[in-house]
Amino acid sequence: RAALGASLPLLQRDYRFERVWFWGCIQGLRGAYYIAEGLGPNRAAPRSRLYSLNCLDWSLLTPATEEMLAVAEQLNGRFQGDPSFEYNLAEINAEVAARLTEGGKEPVIKEEARLTATIEQIDRAVGIVPRGAFVKTPLGSVHENRHFEGLSLLEAKKLSSYFHFTEPVNLKNKTLLEKADLDPSTDFLDSLEHDIPRGSWSIQLEKGGTVVVLRSLLWLGLTFYHVPMTKQFGYVYFGTGEKNLDLPFML
């Protein structure tokens, strides 16, 4: 914690980020990856992601591609904790390995690439913000809402008060009638209430009802918090980087 407190401000200065978030930690068998995200003026723009093995020396991760995400989905089991470790895809999925070989690429993926893809998957699936915390300008950029004073305690207990902080999918499928009640400046993201499978979020009140905590049952280790009537909110991930594929059978 002390190391992070010293290294994150230096990270922000060196890379000229407007803001740096400590994203969390993915625990490997031989070590842990500590992750930070750097943000620019447009909060919806792709974020710069960095990882560290000791909370002091940071390495920039390359942006995740769709191909990288597809290959990483084939990998199961724990992370090793070594960025240079190579997974042999021929042993895991012969079809994907053959496709890569045909494209002139080696049928291997480094753990660093898997790390990038896993962070992207988690951010897309369970990276969330309270309703109204961000506004979309007419030009399309997204900024923090200076007038956001937090959700009321009643609103904070509802899943519909939280949005996925990623490109919306369900919103595009809504009819004009359904969109009539939405405010385009604040309701430009997908709500959590339609997440599949239903029941993949756990809402709890802590500290005598003064803090609302949401935990994802799909990506175990993802915890979001919000202090109602204040601007305080955020999420952090501490886990193994493995998706809970058994969740539909557990609900």
Side-chain angles (χ1 to χ4, degrees), residues 17 19-21 23 36-40 42-50 60-64 116 119-120 122-124 126-129 134 142 163-167 189 235:
F17 293 133
R19 209 165 153 200
V20 169
W21 282 348
W23 184 88
E37 289 189 332
L39 303 142
N42 180 7
R43 295 294 192 254
R47 300 169 209 166
S48 299
R49 297 191 174 106
L50 304 100
L60 195 62
L61 288 164
T62 53
T116 305
I119 297 167
E120 180 69 26
I122 293 172
D123 265 345
R124 284 187 191 183
V126 290
I128 60 175
V129 293
F134 292 87
V142 175
F163 291 155
H164 287 283
F165 199 40
T166 185
E167 193 67 30
L189 299 167
Y235 67 86

Side-chain angles (χ1 to χ4, degrees), residues 58-121:
W58 296 88
S59 304
L60 195 62
L61 288 164
T62 53
T65 61
E66 291 302 321
E67 184 189 26
M68 204 187 280
L69 289 166
V71 173
E73 276 187 4
Q74 305 295 325
L75 303 174
N76 296 316
R78 294 280 301 274
F79 278 79
Q80 297 298 313
D82 174 10
S84 59
F85 180 82
E86 292 185 341
Y87 295 92
N88 187 350
L89 292 170
E91 297 172 2
I92 299 158
N93 191 317
E95 193 180 322
V96 173
R99 202 162 58 236
L100 283 172
T101 308
E102 282 171 19
K105 296 176 182 174
E106 281 191 67
V108 293
I109 179 172
K110 283 195 172 182
E111 184 152 281
E112 194 174 68
R114 184 190 177 191
L115 181 67
T116 305
T118 302
I119 297 167
E120 180 69 26
Q121 281 178 316

